[in-house]
Amino acid sequence: KAGVTQTPRYLIKTRGQQVTLSCSPISGHRSVSWYQQTPGQGLQFLFEYFSETQRNKGNFPGRFSGRQFSNSRSEMNVSTLELGDSALYLCASSFHPGQGVTGELFFGEGSRLTVL
Amino acid sequence: DAKTTQPPSMDCAEGRAANLPCNHSTISGNEYVYWYRQIHSQGPQYIIHGLKNNETNEMASLIITEDRKSSTLILPHATLRDTAVYYCIVRVAGGLRTSYDKVIFGPGTSLSVIP
């Protein structure tokens, strides 16, 4: 079956612009989480969505936001881009832990954002 | 902060077993140990997970100490394609719950498989 799909794979923006990244989870998966990866900070948790609701949030400013649609697809948005937002943004999907499954995460290939 | 600590780097000769340690001394009773690896510029890949018993799959074996405060990922016959950063994380899984944990990744172990 198809894996987690993230679009776009690469993009370049300038400071002050905004960006929207998309994530399509594996069919049947209901939980989507987002991560930022930079060489200096490693993999950092951004937020997790389940049933169109944000369930948990990492320590990122309000410029970082997300949402989940009824089909479990998710988007994240970064407004007023800064140079430090340049990173690989990863999305992961999983089953709902409450259904008794063991919660392993399945990652997409990521969206690489460069802010100039 | 990450709930796990791992050595920053390790080398392993091709064909030999790679043993990657992980400390998780504050692990809770309902937290599982998960291992992932990330090959350069790709998304992390799930390897294996366990609660308290040793586990084995087609990729690796996971040995968890009896007190659950540490674990070891074993790649039985390392190949050059196993060169990657390996992450050990702990998280709650299974059953019903009313809160959702943040998945915290540490810096991981950079494994280099040497020809």
Side-chain angles (χ1 to χ4, degrees):
Chain A
K1 57 184 177 182
V4 177
T5 303
Q6 292 189 245
T7 57
R9 290 292 312 278
Y10 303 92
L11 67 166
I12 300 173
K13 294 285 188 178
T14 57
R15 282 183 299 173
Q17 288 186 309
Q18 73 166 15
V19 65
T20 299
L21 308 177
S22 178
C23 173
S24 294
I26 291 173
S27 178
H29 285 193
R30 299 177 65 189
S31 174
V32 173
S33 51
W34 288 88
Y35 303 81
Q36 181 196 65
Q37 186 172 34
T38 60
Q41 299 297 319
L43 266 167
Q44 293 188 285
F45 174 80
L46 278 159
F47 23 66
E48 179 184 6
Y49 286 87
F50 174 74
S51 292
E52 304 175 61
T53 301
Q54 188 180 93
R55 302 292 178 166
N56 218 325
K57 188 177 189 302
N59 297 322
F60 280 82
R63 300 186 297 107
F64 292 80
S65 62
R67 59 179 176 169
Q68 186 181 34
F69 302 95
S70 58
N71 61 358
S72 294
R73 190 178 69 85
S74 178
E75 290 181 347
M76 68 162 285
N77 182 275
V78 187
S79 62
T80 319
L81 284 166
E82 301 177 359
L83 296 178
D85 296 333
S86 294
L88 180 66
Y89 289 88
L90 290 157
C91 163
S93 75
S94 65
F95 293 110
H96 179 212
Q99 293 173 349
V101 294
T102 51
E104 50 266 46
L105 300 170
F106 296 86
F107 284 84
E109 293 302 313
S111 294
R112 185 166 296 280
L113 170 66
T114 300
V115 181
L116 302 177
Chain B
D1 292 342
K3 298 181 180 180
T4 61
T5 56
Q6 300 175 251
S9 63
M10 293 181 63
D11 292 339
C12 178
E14 187 178 17
R16 302 297 295 270
N19 297 287
L20 292 91
C22 178
N23 288 318
H24 31 80
S25 58
T26 61
I27 191 170
S28 301
N30 61 349
E31 286 182 317
Y32 285 68
V33 180
Y34 289 81
W35 282 84
Y36 293 83
R37 73 180 183 184
Q38 186 174 26
I39 297 170
H40 183 63
S41 295
Q42 297 181 18
Q45 175 191 23
Y46 164 80
I47 300 173
I48 198 169
H49 73 276
L51 182 62
K52 55 183 177 180
N53 297 320
N54 298 339
E55 303 287 345
T56 296
N57 63 19
E58 64 279 4
M59 289 182 67
S61 295
L62 174 61
I63 309 297
I64 303 175
T65 58
E66 191 169 342
D67 63 7
R68 302 209 325 122
K69 292 185 177 182
S70 66
S71 61
T72 300
L73 178 75
I74 301 173
L75 308 177
H77 305 287
T79 71
L80 298 179
R81 288 179 294 181
D82 293 322
T83 293
V85 177
Y86 288 77
Y87 298 98
C88 165
I89 65 169
V90 296
R91 69 175 310 204
V92 177
L96 295 173
R97 62 182 193 185
T98 57
S99 64
Y100 291 75
D101 58 329
K102 302 177 184 181
V103 180
I104 309 297
F105 284 82
T109 296
S110 178
L111 175 69
S112 296
V113 180
I114 311 300

